[in-house]
């Protein structure tokens, strides 16, 4: 649940049966995050308090053996799901970093987006910038560079979606190879 979707007061949260509410004001330690509806405590403060307790072995003698076994099993399961999320986050980070254009390319990309806006205003038909080789696809990973971008109408772009055809791309690549380096993308 996003912060803006939380109730703004504790009474609203209790009435709705929601665990958290979000005021947008900092707690006494300066955290700006959601608070528990049951006791008004800041979520970050509780996390900090639990970390401190763990460092001081507060939880060592807590619960019987069955309880400890259940907690270990859940901790292992949680750790593995968190590891998966960390790996996915890291992969997305490197994918974003790998799709970088040169400063000149960035200007060209901005020009393409402005051109799409102007075409939309002039013609009344929504135009969008499309990646010829899709950014996210099981077989390939395109780049956000001017040579991989084209202007399409919104309907054409939705029809194309993230499809990739090896034959079509081979033809486009051959055209790009034959062109001089100073020329813009083929239309």
């Amino acid at each position: 649940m996003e912060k803006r979707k939380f109730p703004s007061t504790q009474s609203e949260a209790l009435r709705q049966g929601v665990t958290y509410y979000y005021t947008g004001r900092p707690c006494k330690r300066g955290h700006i995050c959601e608070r528990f509806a049951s006791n008004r405590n800041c979520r970050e403060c509780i996390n900090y308090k639990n970390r401190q307790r763990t460092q001081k072995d507060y939880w060592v003698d807590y619960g019987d053996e069955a309880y400890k076994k259940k907690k270990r099993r859940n901790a292992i399961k949680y750790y593995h799901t968190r590891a998966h999320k960390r790996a996915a986050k890291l992969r997305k980070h490197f994918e974003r970093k790998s799709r970088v254009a040169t400063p000149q390319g960035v200007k060209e990309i901005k020009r393409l987006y402005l051109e799409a806006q102007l075409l939309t205003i002039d013609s009344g038909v929504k135009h969008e910038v499309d990646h010829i080789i899709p950014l996210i696809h099981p077989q390939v990973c395109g780049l956000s560079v001017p040579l991989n971008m084209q202007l399409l109408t919104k309907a054409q772009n939705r029809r194309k979606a993230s499809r990739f055809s090896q034959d079509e791309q081979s033809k486009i690549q051959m055209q790009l190879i034959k062109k001089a380096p100073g020329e813009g993308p083929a239309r």
Side-chain angles (χ1 to χ4, degrees):
M1 191 177 233
E2 295 177 15
K3 289 180 182 170
R4 64 179 175 272
K5 293 185 181 178
F6 286 122
S8 58
T9 63
Q10 181 191 20
S11 58
E12 284 179 43
L14 291 172
R15 197 171 25 254
Q16 293 175 11
V18 182
T19 308
Y20 303 108
Y21 69 99
Y22 180 72
T23 61
R25 288 179 276 152
C27 70
K28 62 184 177 184
R29 290 186 183 87
H31 302 126
I32 301 176
C33 66
E34 54 276 358
R35 297 169 183 251
F36 286 93
S38 57
N39 57 13
R40 297 185 187 171
N41 286 335
C42 163
R43 192 175 187 179
E44 287 297 318
C45 291
I46 295 293
N47 287 342
Y48 175 76
K49 192 175 181 181
N50 284 335
R51 282 193 301 272
Q52 294 302 315
R53 285 178 171 176
T54 303
Q55 289 173 353
K56 294 177 183 174
D57 292 334
Y58 177 85
W59 307 106
V60 171
D61 297 325
Y62 188 82
D64 61 350
E65 197 56 41
Y67 178 79
K68 288 180 182 180
K69 198 175 196 179
K70 178 184 168 191
K71 290 301 258 183
R72 276 191 214 103
R73 192 175 49 240
N74 288 340
I76 289 168
K77 189 167 41 170
Y78 178 76
Y79 171 76
H80 288 299
T81 58
R82 294 294 299 166
H84 168 72
K85 290 176 183 175
R86 277 194 303 270
K89 186 176 179 182
L90 195 61
R91 187 173 55 249
K92 286 179 185 176
H93 167 75
F94 284 116
E95 283 177 3
R96 272 196 306 270
K97 289 290 182 185
S98 68
R99 298 185 199 127
V100 176
T102 61
Q104 180 184 357
V106 171
K107 288 179 185 175
E108 180 68 19
I109 290 170
K110 287 180 181 177
R111 188 193 61 75
L112 279 170
Y113 279 100
L114 286 172
E115 192 175 328
Q117 289 176 350
L118 288 173
L119 277 171
T120 300
I121 292 169
D122 290 344
S123 66
V125 177
K126 177 85 173 142
H127 283 75
E128 296 177 343
V129 177
D130 171 60
H131 289 84
I132 299 168
I133 299 173
L135 295 178
I136 299 171
H137 191 274
Q139 294 176 339
V140 293
C141 177
L143 300 172
S144 285
V145 293
L147 292 176
N148 189 34
M149 295 180 154
Q150 62 183 350
L151 289 176
L152 294 176
T153 64
K154 185 176 181 177
Q156 290 172 331
N157 197 14
R158 296 300 179 272
R159 267 195 304 275
K160 179 185 175 280
S162 289
R163 292 188 186 87
F164 175 76
S165 169
Q166 184 65 43
D167 297 331
E168 284 182 32
Q169 299 311 321
S170 297
K171 291 175 188 172
I172 292 170
Q173 288 171 352
M174 290 307 293
Q175 290 173 354
L176 292 174
I177 290 171
K178 291 177 185 175
K179 283 184 0 175
E183 293 181 25
R187 305 261 182 230

